[in-house]
């Protein structure tokens, strides 16, 4: 299968999505269609041997929309702004003609006649012409779409409005026709504006990254060049207060960096040589030099922007329900409108003109505009708001899922804990001091790459201890290492190594066993003649883990499980510290999947939180995979359904509340849109509704649902 990516001019809402599906799906060789309404993007999988790109473009043109090859960075002036501008001009013209016609009508026949259009003298010719001009201007962009909908036998809101306007003209309700045309085209402009507003909210992410970078050349000069032209491994200088232009690793300088645009962290993070930094973050008070690790189009920020855009193609359950509902709702109401036009006068002798008018009112009410727009606007706003908070949700399908969670499974290392061991306790023996024991251990560990060795070296550096030179270093895999320091053999290793050497006393064994039960990893240091001392090391629990667990319970999580490959003693100690309900330790990846399956059977709605790589199978089985600390981690960004760009577990209860707020607003919009329609259907059947009042109510409801959905863009605590 080949893939074609197009920019679709005129793609603003789910109505156009349905039109494109209807126009493309019947073509032989066309496979999956993926839409990004936010950016007017369409991705088509097709069999190149059956259909070509020219035929696809032609089929799109038949729908009334225009396609061109997608460009990640559009050329200057290449956007839908001109199309929206033309629609706005048509709307202004329609409104102006309507106002002029109404004013003329009032002058000639009075307020009552102008409002009801039933004066005995008829509508003045000047007013009639102005009303017709208003209807033509309002329908300028609507009628072509209505004609294509009629040709496809797929009634849509454009066809409904066109029929209503033409019908009103036929029964000489010119004011009604002009009002309906104006208000409907106004609603289309508002809809386009709402999509543009959400589009700009996401586009604001793009402005986080500066367009140029200060690159140091080989001659010691610094030149400003476009970030897209900066090659990998280039040396970039960032001054205090500047935005970091590209992902990289610091080689010179120390500073603090505000990473809130990427991770949502409120506090600046200390950075030094060897630290990773991300494009779009803000350098603090120190000048730094970094080596670029990713090109401009593949930075963490660029990937976030692309994924937020792609997320619109993954429709939420609410969006899918609204689309299915509208598919059956519109034809049903059209049939009801025909019945209202025909049955009362045929069966009871009512006036044909009156019931034809009531049928037109019902057609206007049938327009699902407010209903269709209510959900996508809310989802887009929720996605953009979450991205600004440092939570990347991969689609509307996953935006609603956190609201239903009942159980949560957490990986331990790197999720609940920091994923880095530190020295917690030093126990000197045989007359040695803590400093002497640490200095000897650091001398041996200086040649090792083991994570525990690095913890010892960090502890020595923190105390200002410089390791002495060591000779004859020998690693003993799984046990420890030996080295010669000052001509004397020093050994260092695990509790098991101490037992094998036969130098352990009962008192030592008791003390070491107690440390291990508390979840510590143990390192023993000794010489041939005696044991010098030992270290207790631990992977510290994140400071925010305990409040996060409490907030998760407040948010509605009833069961929290830790799934880890670590030993039971360590896992139990961590679970006790933060109040986790259940611990499953010493698990292989397939064991984690089995544990998730058990949780799904018991609680149905389950999320798995991990690092997005080794926990991927469990994440997939849980139905909702959440990756911790995904900033800069390609695999985590790709694997999870939701990626927390920072390392803060408290983002999960925030996400649950945000998801529930999103679902609540979507429901408010759907119920309000349907409620107004139900009221006007009842008024129509009772003979108390009018065309202009119906379209005014529908347009007003479109405004209500748009602004209600855009409330999700506002930051929440």
């Amino acid at each position: 299968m080949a893939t074609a990516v197009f920019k679709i001019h005129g793609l603003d809402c789910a109505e156009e999505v349905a039109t494109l599906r209807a126009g493309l799906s019947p073509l032989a060789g066309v496979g999956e269609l993926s839409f990004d309404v936010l950016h007017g993007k369409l991705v088509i999988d097709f069999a190149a041997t059956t259909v070509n790109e020219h035929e696809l473009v032609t089929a799109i043109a038949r729908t009334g929309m225009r396609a061109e090859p997608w460009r990640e960075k559009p050329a200057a002036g290449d956007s839908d702004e001109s199309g929206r501008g033309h629609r706005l001009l048509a709307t202004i013209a329609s409104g102006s003609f309507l106002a002029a016609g109404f004013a003329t009508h009032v002058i000639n026949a009075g307020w009552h006649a102008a409002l009801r259009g039933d004066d005995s003298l008829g509508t003045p010719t000047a007013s009639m012409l102005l009303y017709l001009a208003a209807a033509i201007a309002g329908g300028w962009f609507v009628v072509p779409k209505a004609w294509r909908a009629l040709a496809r036998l797929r009634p849509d809101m454009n066809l409904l409005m066109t029929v209503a306007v033409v019908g009103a003209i036929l029964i000489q309700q010119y004011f009604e026709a002009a009002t309906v045309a104006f208000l409907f085209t106004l609603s289309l402009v508002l809809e386009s504006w709402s999509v543009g507003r959400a589009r700009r909210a996401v586009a604001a992410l793009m402005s986080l990254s500066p367009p140029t970078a200060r690159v140091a050349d080989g001659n010691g000069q610094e030149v400003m060049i476009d970030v897209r032209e900066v090659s990998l491994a280039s040396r970039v200088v960032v001054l205090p207060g500047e935005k970091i232009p590209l992902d990289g690793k610091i080689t010179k300088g120390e500073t603090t960096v505000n990473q809130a645009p990427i991770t949502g962290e409120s506090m600046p993070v200390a950075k030094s040589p060897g630290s990773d930094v991300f494009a779009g973050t803000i350098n603090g008070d120190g000048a730094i030099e970094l080596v670029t690790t990713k090109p401009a189009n593949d930075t963490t920020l660029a990937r976030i922007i692309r994924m937020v855009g792609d997320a619109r193609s993954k429709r939420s359950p609410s969006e899918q329900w609204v689309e299915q509902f509208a598919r059956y709702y519109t034809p049903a109401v059209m049939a009801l409108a025909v019945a209202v036009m025909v049955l009362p006068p045929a069966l009871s002798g009512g006036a044909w003109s009156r019931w034809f008018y009531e049928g037109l009112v019902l057609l206007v009410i049938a327009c699902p505009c407010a209903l269709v727009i209510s959900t996508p606007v809310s989802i887009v706003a929720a996605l953009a708001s979450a991205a600004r908070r440092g939570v990347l949700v991969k689609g509307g399908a996953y935006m609603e899922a956190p609201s239903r969670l009942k159980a949560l499974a957490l990986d331990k290392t790197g999720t609940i804990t920091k994923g880095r061991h530190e020295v917690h306790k030093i126990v000197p023996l045989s007359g040695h001091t803590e400093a002497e024991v640490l200095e000897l251990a650091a001398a041996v560990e200086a040649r090792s790459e083991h994570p525990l060795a690095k913890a010892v070296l960090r502890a020595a550096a923190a105390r200002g201890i410089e390791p002495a030179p060591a000779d004859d270093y020998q690693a003993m895999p799984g046990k420890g290492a030996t080295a010669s320091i000052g001509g004397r053999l020093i050994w260092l290793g695990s509790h098991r190594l101490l037992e094998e050497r036969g130098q352990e006393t009962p008192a030592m064994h008791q003390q070491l066993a107690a440390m291990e039960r508390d979840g510590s990893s143990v390192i023993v240091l000794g010489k041939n003649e005696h044991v010098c001392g030992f270290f207790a090391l631990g992977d510290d629990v994140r400071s925010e883990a305990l409040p996060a667990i409490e907030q998760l319970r407040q948010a509605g999580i009833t069961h929290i499980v830790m799934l880890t490959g670590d030993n039971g003693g360590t896992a139990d100690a961590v679970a006790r510290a933060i109040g986790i309900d259940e611990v499953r330790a010493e698990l292989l990846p397939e064991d984690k999947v089995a544990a998730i399956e058990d949780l799904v059977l018991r609680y149905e709605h389950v999320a798995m939180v991990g690092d997005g790589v080794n926990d991927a199978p469990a994440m997939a089985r849980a139905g909702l995979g959440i990756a911790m600390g995904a900033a800069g981690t390609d695999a985590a960004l790709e694997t999870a359904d939701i990626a927390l760009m920072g390392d803060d577990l408290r983002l999960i209860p925030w996400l649950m509340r945000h998801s529930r707020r999103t679902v609540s607003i979507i429901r408010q919009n759907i119920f309000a849109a349907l409620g107004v329609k139900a009221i006007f259907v009842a008024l129509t059947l009772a003979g108390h509704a009018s065309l202009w009042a119906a379209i005014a109510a529908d347009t007003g409801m479109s405004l209500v649902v748009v602004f209600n959905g855009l409330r999700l863009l506002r930051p929440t605590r």
Side-chain angles (χ1 to χ4, degrees):
M1 294 288 283
T3 300
V5 186
F6 296 110
K7 166 70 176 178
I8 307 297
H9 295 274
L11 176 59
D12 282 324
C13 77
E15 190 70 29
E16 279 86 22
V17 169
T19 299
L20 286 167
R21 285 191 188 279
L24 290 168
S25 297
L27 290 181
V30 171
E32 184 177 353
L33 304 176
S34 299
F35 295 88
D36 175 8
V37 176
L38 194 62
H39 298 100
K41 182 179 180 181
L42 168 61
V43 180
I44 306 175
D45 293 332
F46 66 99
T49 55
T50 308
V51 65
N52 57 45
E53 289 195 21
H54 177 72
E55 291 172 314
L56 295 175
V57 171
T58 303
I60 292 170
R62 285 197 294 268
T63 68
M65 286 171 266
R66 180 167 61 87
E68 63 180 40
W70 176 263
R71 290 189 293 271
E72 287 297 335
K73 190 172 183 64
D78 179 23
S79 69
D80 283 338
E81 291 300 327
S82 60
R84 283 191 286 274
H86 293 155
R87 286 196 294 272
L88 179 60
L89 286 175
T91 303
I92 293 172
S94 179
S96 300
F97 285 130
L98 173 61
F102 182 76
T104 304
H105 204 161
V106 169
I107 292 171
N108 283 274
W111 285 96
H112 185 269
L115 285 173
R116 295 187 58 84
D118 60 354
D119 58 297
S120 57
L121 299 176
T123 302
T125 302
S127 295
M128 180 184 70
L129 293 176
L130 288 168
Y131 287 149
L132 288 175
I136 291 171
W140 192 260
F141 293 99
V142 177
V143 172
K145 293 183 179 181
W147 176 255
R148 284 186 286 269
L150 181 62
R152 293 193 310 271
L153 298 179
R154 286 180 60 91
D156 62 9
M157 63 182 82
N158 299 293
L159 180 58
L160 296 181
M161 291 302 103
T162 301
V163 170
V165 170
V166 172
I169 291 172
L170 291 177
I171 60 174
Q172 300 183 353
Q173 294 288 333
Y174 301 109
F175 172 68
E176 302 266 11
T179 305
V180 168
F182 165 67
L183 290 175
F184 182 62
T185 191
L186 176 62
S187 74
L188 294 180
V189 169
L190 291 173
E191 180 179 318
S192 180
W193 170 84
S194 71
V195 173
R197 174 71 177 83
R199 182 181 291 130
R200 288 190 293 274
V202 175
L205 291 170
M206 300 180 69
S207 66
L208 293 174
S209 183
T212 59
R214 184 181 289 102
V215 178
D217 60 21
N219 301 319
Q221 301 295 316
E222 296 176 2
V223 292
M224 300 296 291
I225 63 176
D226 192 304
V227 291
R228 291 171 294 173
E229 298 174 4
V230 178
S231 57
L232 288 178
S234 296
R235 293 190 301 127
V236 174
V237 177
V238 186
L239 301 181
E242 292 184 340
K243 291 181 179 179
I244 295 171
L246 293 157
D247 285 9
K249 192 177 290 290
I250 294 178
T251 56
K252 292 182 183 178
E254 295 186 355
T255 188
T256 56
V257 175
N258 178 0
Q259 297 189 153
I262 300 294
T263 65
E265 295 170 285
S266 58
M267 298 297 292
V269 180
K271 301 286 184 178
S272 58
S275 298
D276 292 320
V277 290
F278 310 115
T281 56
I282 304 166
N283 185 24
D285 51 8
I288 56 173
E289 182 178 295
L290 59 93
V291 172
T292 59
T293 55
K294 291 181 181 177
N297 63 354
D298 196 38
T299 63
T300 300
L301 178 61
R303 292 163 67 87
I304 291 172
I305 293 167
R306 281 199 300 273
M307 288 179 177
V308 171
D310 293 343
R312 279 296 301 120
S313 65
K314 301 181 179 73
R315 294 172 298 162
S316 72
S318 295
E319 286 180 283
Q320 295 175 42
W321 180 87
V322 167
E323 186 175 304
Q324 289 291 330
F325 180 84
R327 184 176 300 171
Y328 297 104
Y329 162 82
T330 303
V333 178
M334 286 195 75
L336 179 61
V338 171
V340 168
M341 292 177 182
V342 174
L343 294 181
L347 298 179
S348 60
W352 285 91
S353 59
R354 179 212 165 181
W355 288 105
F356 184 77
Y357 179 84
E358 299 297 345
L360 293 180
V361 174
L362 202 54
L363 282 180
V364 171
I365 287 301
C367 173
C369 188
L371 180 64
V372 169
I373 197 177
S374 63
T375 306
V377 168
S378 301
I379 291 293
V380 169
L383 291 172
S385 180
R388 291 208 299 256
R389 182 72 182 231
V391 180
L392 177 57
V393 183
K394 297 275 194 77
Y398 309 117
M399 190 67 251
E400 296 183 24
S403 67
R404 299 187 295 269
L405 289 178
K406 294 299 179 185
L408 195 71
L410 299 162
D411 179 39
K412 181 183 77 70
T413 305
T415 300
I416 297 173
T417 64
K418 295 178 180 178
R420 191 173 82 164
H421 280 78
E422 300 293 348
V423 174
H424 288 170
K425 187 176 184 180
I426 303 174
V427 180
L429 300 172
S430 306
H432 291 281
T433 64
E434 286 190 14
E436 290 171 345
V437 172
L438 186 55
E439 183 178 6
L440 288 172
V444 178
E445 299 285 39
R447 304 284 293 276
S448 173
E449 292 297 321
H450 195 280
L452 296 184
K454 294 186 179 298
V456 171
L457 292 172
R458 284 195 297 271
R463 298 194 184 195
I465 296 174
E466 188 70 29
D471 301 316
D472 302 324
Y473 175 84
Q474 293 289 329
M476 294 181 287
K479 296 181 182 180
T482 63
S484 178
I485 302 174
R488 302 188 68 177
L489 181 70
I490 304 295
W491 60 266
L492 180 147
S494 64
H495 186 183
R496 186 176 68 170
L497 178 61
L498 174 63
E499 292 174 337
E500 289 179 359
R501 291 182 62 87
Q503 292 181 263
E504 183 181 43
T505 66
M508 285 183 194
H509 178 83
Q510 193 172 25
Q511 194 168 4
L512 291 172
M515 288 180 173
E516 290 171 339
R517 282 196 300 271
D518 289 338
S520 297
S521 298
V522 173
I523 296 177
V524 184
L525 177 77
K527 302 176 181 177
N528 284 332
E529 60 270 22
H530 64 251
V531 175
C532 301
F534 42 82
F535 301 83
L537 298 91
D539 183 5
D540 292 338
V541 174
R542 297 182 184 278
S543 60
E544 69 275 7
L546 179 58
I549 296 297
E550 294 172 350
Q551 290 173 26
L552 283 167
R553 297 193 191 285
Q554 293 169 5
I557 295 294
T558 58
H559 196 70
I560 302 174
V561 182
M562 179 197 295
L563 305 180
T564 179
D566 209 341
N567 67 76
T570 301
D572 287 337
V574 171
R576 285 195 303 271
I578 60 175
I580 284 179
D581 301 314
E582 181 183 352
V583 176
R584 300 195 185 190
E586 301 178 25
L587 301 180
L588 297 173
E590 55 267 30
D591 299 325
K592 289 188 177 183
V593 172
I596 291 293
E597 288 177 345
D598 177 57
L599 287 172
V600 170
L601 286 174
R602 291 157 57 192
Y603 297 98
E604 186 176 359
H605 300 294
V606 179
M608 172 69 193
V609 186
D611 62 8
V613 183
N614 60 342
D615 295 315
M619 286 181 174
R621 183 62 190 90
L624 185 66
I626 303 176
M628 275 281 292
T633 306
D634 294 348
L637 282 173
E638 296 294 343
T639 301
D641 304 318
I642 296 173
L644 308 182
M645 306 311 293
D647 287 324
D648 194 343
L649 278 170
R650 290 172 296 185
L651 286 172
I652 300 175
W654 176 86
L655 176 62
M656 292 178 64
R657 293 191 297 271
H658 183 59
S659 175
R660 286 175 183 158
R661 184 173 177 236
T662 301
V663 171
S664 174
I665 285 178
I666 288 172
R667 288 174 178 168
Q668 290 169 17
N669 286 344
I670 291 173
F671 291 148
L674 291 177
V676 167
K677 293 184 186 303
I679 291 171
F680 267 85
V681 167
L683 289 173
T684 300
L685 295 177
H688 298 299
S690 64
L691 273 175
W692 70 268
I695 191 64
D698 191 69
T699 302
M701 187 49 58
S702 294
L703 267 176
V704 169
V705 300
V706 164
F707 283 111
N708 195 37
L710 290 178
R711 285 196 300 126
L712 289 164
L713 286 172
R714 291 204 310 246
T716 55
R717 294 183 60 187

